[in-house]
């Protein structure tokens, strides 16, 4: 299976390997997120996008003040996960 191209509504684009979802550590981190552990957000992004992709997302979402809003990162992560699930249905 090749790379899948994702694009968020905020305009972030990245090519990722859909096989990353075949990892129990991703599932555990997603379960922790679902339980409200927001500290797992960076780890989930790193597992899904790799460190370069995570940093590229942060850079894309960075405000003029140099902050990366948690709400924007959370929205992007939700879109990425949805896109990955939708690709598995095709």
């Amino acid at each position: 299976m090749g790379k899948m191209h994702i694009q968020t509504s905020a305009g972030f684009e990245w090519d990722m390997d859909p096989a990353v979802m075949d990892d129990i550590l991703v599932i555990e981190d997603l379960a922790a997120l679902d339980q409200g552990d927001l500290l797992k957000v960076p780890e989930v992004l790193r597992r899904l996008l790799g460190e370069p992709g995570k940093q590229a997302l942060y850079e894309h979402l960075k405000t003029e003040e140099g902050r990366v809003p948690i709400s924007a990162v959370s929205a992007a992560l939700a879109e990425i996960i949805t896109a990955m699930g939708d690709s598995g249905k095709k």
Side-chain angles (χ1 to χ4, degrees):
M1 184 181 284
K3 299 268 184 185
M4 76 175 276
H5 185 77
I6 57 161
Q7 182 172 355
T8 68
S9 60
F12 175 73
E13 295 186 49
W14 196 256
D15 290 325
M16 57 189 293
D17 183 354
V20 298
M21 290 301 284
D22 186 22
D23 182 348
I24 192 63
L25 298 174
V26 172
I27 302 306
E28 287 180 352
D29 286 345
L30 289 173
L33 271 176
D34 192 47
Q35 295 295 314
D37 185 356
L38 293 179
L39 296 176
K40 289 294 184 178
V41 170
E43 185 63 18
V44 170
L45 287 170
R46 186 189 63 74
R47 290 187 191 283
L48 296 179
L49 304 175
E51 186 62 28
K54 181 185 90 166
Q55 291 304 321
L57 176 64
Y58 288 177
E59 195 60 37
H60 180 79
L61 297 174
K62 191 178 286 185
T63 66
E64 289 181 15
E65 296 81 20
R67 291 188 287 278
V68 182
I70 295 168
S71 58
V73 173
S74 295
L77 177 56
E79 287 185 45
I80 290 166
I81 291 168
T82 299
M84 293 186 76
D86 289 346
S87 76
K89 296 175 188 172
K90 293 180 183 173

